[in-house]
Amino acid sequence: MAHEFSGKVVVITGGSRGIGRGIAEAFAAQGAHTVLAASSQATLDATADAIAATGVARPDVCATDLRSEDGCRAVFDLVAARHGRCDILVNSAGATRAGAFVDLTAAVWQDGFALKFFGCVNLCRLFWPMLVAGRGHVVNIIGGAARTPDPGFLIGGAVNAAMHNFSKGLAGLGKREGVNVNAILPGLTETDRVQQIFQQRATASGKTVAEERQAQITREGLARLGTPEDVAALTLFLCSEKTRHIQGTAIAVDGGATPGVY
């Protein structure tokens, strides 16, 4: 797929670190012009500088609060002003707390939905006309908890399930209007976010972080945790012209951890 994405405008939320950054690096290496959106200007600038140092175009960055519609509109306005188009939208932003159910307040639940679910919904709505015009792609980075409920990760499971359902429904619209919509369900992946989840689980269970990490790996029967590069490779594949007939699917990248058939 060398140079397949040259000149394409790719918007990536949560693009300053973790899985989002891995996806941004992969698209930039393929010649795309990337636009990264996240909350921290400093982290965005550091990531953009690191990507540019590899000899590719420096990403545009937008420091904004994706939990609000105005924050999402700031991303759209930047892209509209600088490029006038969006070929690919990757929704990778979102952090939901793990922990004991009785300790998770209403505010924490609302925050979990605001960033990951409503941020995705708002951006898809804003960019949809551009995506239709360019026969574009949407890839939503969700998570294995969409299919596998866990009492220690109730917010994440609920948010991911909602996002999964939304992605499938949006794909029906995309089928009629020429936009490919698919989702990726990463399992445990080596990111700062997963380390925070291990810490939250450890606090709730009374175990150490190392014990919680090993227990989770053992429980899922994994040889290793995933990497952002694992998810990035599939993202590029789903956005290639070779995969136009893949529509409305959700693919796990979890080392086989998902126990069910679907």
Side-chain angles (χ1 to χ4, degrees):
M1 293 189 294
H3 306 303
E4 178 175 0
F5 299 104
S6 293
K8 298 289 186 180
V9 176
V10 184
V11 178
I12 305 159
T13 70
S16 64
R17 55 184 183 171
I19 289 173
R21 175 170 175 164
I23 293 169
E25 291 171 343
F27 272 115
Q30 291 286 327
H33 194 103
T34 55
V35 181
L36 314 184
S39 60
S40 169
Q41 184 72 53
T43 306
L44 282 166
D45 286 340
T47 297
D49 289 344
I51 291 174
T54 66
V56 300
R58 189 182 192 276
D60 291 325
V61 300
C62 182
T64 187
D65 185 357
L66 296 169
R67 294 173 297 181
S68 72
E69 185 173 5
D70 286 345
C72 292
R73 187 169 292 280
V75 183
F76 174 79
D77 288 345
L78 182 148
V79 174
R82 295 190 182 179
H83 305 287
R85 60 185 288 188
C86 173
D87 300 288
I88 297 168
L89 172 63
V90 180
N91 290 296
S92 186
T96 53
R97 284 188 59 84
F101 172 55
V102 295
D103 296 332
L104 299 172
T105 66
V108 173
W109 277 87
Q110 290 163 359
D111 185 72
F113 272 91
L115 177 56
K116 189 162 187 176
F117 179 72
F118 286 111
C120 168
V121 170
N122 287 330
L123 286 165
C124 286
R125 185 179 68 254
L126 288 164
F127 280 106
W128 194 256
M130 286 185 179
L131 292 164
V132 171
R135 289 184 50 79
H137 297 260
V138 175
V139 178
N140 293 330
I141 310 301
I142 304 178
R147 291 173 172 166
T148 310
D150 181 341
F153 195 52
L154 287 174
I155 298 177
V159 171
N160 289 350
M163 198 171 170
H164 192 178
N165 189 287
F166 168 73
S167 300
K168 185 69 172 179
L170 189 64
L173 179 62
K175 209 166 36 168
R176 300 198 300 266
E177 299 191 352
V179 179
N180 277 70
V181 182
N182 292 291
I184 298 177
L185 308 179
L188 292 174
T189 306
E190 292 281 12
T191 64
D192 292 342
R193 172 65 191 138
V194 164
Q195 298 312 311
Q196 291 173 358
I197 291 175
F198 284 140
Q199 179 63 65
Q200 291 161 1
R201 286 180 178 273
T203 299
S205 68
K207 298 177 182 178
T208 67
V209 173
E211 289 171 338
E212 188 60 50
R213 175 190 174 95
Q214 187 56 51
Q216 190 75 14
I217 291 172
T218 300
R219 183 160 55 246
E220 297 190 1
L222 300 176
R224 65 171 175 85
L225 296 189
T227 67
E229 290 75 20
D230 294 328
V231 181
L234 178 57
T235 305
L236 264 65
F237 176 68
L238 289 174
C239 294
S240 70
E241 287 303 311
K242 298 184 181 75
T243 59
R244 277 291 178 185
H245 203 55
I246 299 177
Q247 174 75 299
T249 193
I251 302 175
V253 181
D254 64 0
T258 301
V261 177
Y262 299 106

